[in-house]
């Protein structure tokens, strides 16, 4: 029995998120179906974490075990032949027995794109949050690094996880290694790298940054917002379509 | 009564092409519906030309008349509020009475994207022809300019126009002002500017270039192919999803 890790990109628009749900088209379910076709028995896939409906991935990871002896490079090709074009396997790697994509992850990077042009190109719209209205971008850029550090991020966790809420999420302490908002010619790009993220935490950080941009929240108010550990104090949750899971890191890579 | 010209970008994936067809979702029909909602009576829109199902546009143009006095800038905003995100109005311009987007056009530019990476990013797939196989790209680049000039392009016209074939297309002589294939890091981009194009002509040129890339057709064979004025001699029609109508030009602009 081999243990394998895959690196996957997907356009989240057509999926009800990563995690398998009965009667819904999900990324995990789509990948499990493809592996099942290759293996000849049901293959269960463990993602590095879930992504919500509409959230995209450039480098999501997942692990599974397989008896099929197909070399990794051929397995990648076989999977990409079976999978829809909206889901692409970029890498298949042999891992030590017991490797688990979620438990072994040491860092994740997300990116959030806020498109700033007056008119949003049709080709960009599914992959960004189009926000053409006035924003104090300098204040947002100044506020972004204030989310870095090790702290209790309860203020930025969603209250509900939906039908399959994970009760194991006891600690709400996380470490954010870097948190930067950058101005590009046509958009704002928020990039955050951390040890892990609470449910909807990145979209809630972006929501808070948008509140800063609108003048509803001062950058100096962010430490107090975080210290309050009360979700009610933070702003809106930014839409899923602007969010990309960029990379998941492991030790010894 | 005002005569107006709009410049429109669209993601062609969700449409059965530009031209209105009963029971189909088309770009023209979608724009006419939006204008009809604003005008309060049916508004007919004349495009600079049709694009096939799946073909995209960065700068398609269309003309129509309107009694509604809304200033052009406001009309643009009103249209973009009504239209789906896959169709975006970039410009609304007042034109002299009698202006017609197709009859007044003096040049059109198309772009065709051939994606060359081994794995096609999910975000690129709907907007390119993914071709990861071996191609003699140098031969293709050398062949591309051979399509320029004024000549009878019958060899590169599709035989059938489908259910609404236009019978007026008598002359198959066109002028191609420039025809270039360029290598980008991850793709080949073909750009062609001409006085006008026959049905599927750009996709047939790209099909011929792909035949050159596969070694099935020599660049030196292109003049003979064009001179034969026989569609049967040319290659395949490249897929719609790689094609973009980039711009339509008019005099006095």
């Amino acid at each position: 029995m081999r243990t394998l890790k895959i690196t996957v990109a997907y356009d989240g628009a057509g999926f009800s998120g990563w995690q398998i749900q009965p009667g819904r088209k999900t990324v995990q379910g789509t990948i499990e179906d493809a592996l099942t076709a290759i293996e000849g028995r049901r293959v269960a896939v463990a993602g590095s974490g879930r992504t919500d409906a509409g959230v995209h991935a450039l480098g999501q990871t997942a692990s599974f075990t397989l008896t099929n002896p197909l070399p990794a490079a051929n397995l990648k090709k076989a999977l990409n032949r079976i999978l829809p074009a909206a889901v692409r396997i970029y890498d298949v790697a042999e891992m030590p027995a017991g490797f688990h994509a979620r438990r072994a992850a040491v860092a994740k990077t997300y990116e959030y794109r806020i498109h700033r042009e007056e008119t949003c190109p049709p080709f960009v719209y599914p992959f960004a949050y189009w926000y053409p209205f006035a924003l104090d971008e300098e204040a947002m850029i100044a506020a972004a690094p204030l989310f870095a550090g090790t702290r209790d991020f309860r203020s930025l966790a969603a209250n509900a996880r939906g039908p399959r809420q994970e009760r194991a999420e006891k600690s709400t302490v996380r470490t954010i290694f870097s948190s930067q908002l950058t101005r590009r010619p046509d958009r704002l790009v928020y990039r955050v790298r951390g040890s892990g993220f609470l449910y909807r935490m990145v979209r809630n950080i972006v929501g808070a940054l948008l509140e800063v941009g609108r003048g509803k929240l001062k950058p100096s108010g962010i430490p107090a917002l975080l210290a309050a550990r009360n979700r009610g104090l933070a702003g809106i949750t930014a839409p899923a379509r602007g969010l990309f899971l960029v990379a998941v890191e492991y030790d010894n890579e």
Side-chain angles (χ1 to χ4, degrees), chain A:
Chain A
M1 192 73 105
R2 310 151 73 189
T3 300
L4 294 158
K5 183 186 79 171
I6 51 172
T7 306
V8 194
Y10 46 85
D11 169 357
F15 296 95
S16 298
W18 168 267
Q19 179 166 295
I20 286 190
Q21 297 172 60
R24 300 281 186 105
K25 189 175 134 194
T26 66
V27 183
Q28 184 190 13
T30 301
I31 295 170
E32 288 192 359
D33 288 348
L35 283 166
T36 297
I38 290 167
E39 180 76 344
R41 59 158 188 91
R42 191 78 205 161
V43 177
V45 164
S48 78
R50 290 174 268 181
T51 53
D52 264 359
V55 173
H56 313 291
L58 299 169
Q60 165 72 296
T61 55
S63 55
F64 54 90
T65 59
L66 214 65
T67 55
N68 188 307
L70 209 60
N74 299 21
L75 187 60
K76 176 186 153 183
K77 284 184 188 172
L79 280 169
N80 280 334
R81 265 194 294 270
I82 298 171
L83 288 165
V87 180
R88 289 292 92 183
I89 308 295
Y90 272 80
D91 187 60
V92 177
E94 306 277 352
M95 302 303 283
F99 172 83
H100 188 283
R102 179 172 53 76
R103 289 197 286 266
V106 294
K108 283 186 185 182
T109 300
Y110 281 94
E111 181 172 301
Y112 196 95
R113 302 179 188 171
I114 302 170
H115 201 79
R116 297 290 289 149
E117 290 184 303
E118 186 203 332
T119 303
C120 190
F123 318 101
V124 169
Y125 187 87
F127 309 119
Y129 175 36
W130 176 55
Y131 194 90
F133 312 109
L135 283 175
D136 183 344
E137 297 184 354
E138 290 310 312
M140 296 170 72
I141 288 166
L146 302 176
F147 292 92
T150 299
R151 52 168 63 90
D152 187 333
F153 281 102
R154 198 175 305 173
S155 291
L156 294 169
N159 296 319
R161 280 218 71 148
R164 295 204 160 202
Q165 180 159 4
E166 200 164 39
R167 295 195 189 162
E169 199 168 80
K170 283 164 192 156
S171 169
T172 47
V173 173
R174 295 290 185 278
T175 298
I176 292 190
F177 305 121
S178 66
S179 170
Q180 297 287 342
L181 186 71
T182 309
R183 187 55 157 109
R184 302 276 175 82
D186 52 2
R187 61 186 188 264
L188 289 166
V189 176
Y190 175 66
R191 226 172 219 254
V192 62
R193 179 170 169 269
S195 63
F197 294 89
L198 304 174
Y199 184 58
R200 292 202 171 161
M201 182 168 148
V202 181
R203 290 163 61 190
N204 290 335
I205 292 174
V206 173
L209 288 174
L210 286 165
E211 289 288 84
V212 169
R214 292 183 200 106
K216 304 265 174 74
L217 174 67
K218 286 185 179 163
S220 60
I222 287 170
L225 181 150
L226 292 168
R229 293 188 287 168
N230 179 345
R231 170 68 192 139
L233 298 178
I236 53 149
T237 301
R241 78 170 72 91
L243 185 62
F244 291 75
L245 172 53
V246 174
V248 184
E249 292 167 62
Y250 297 90
D251 278 336
N252 307 317
E253 279 194 326

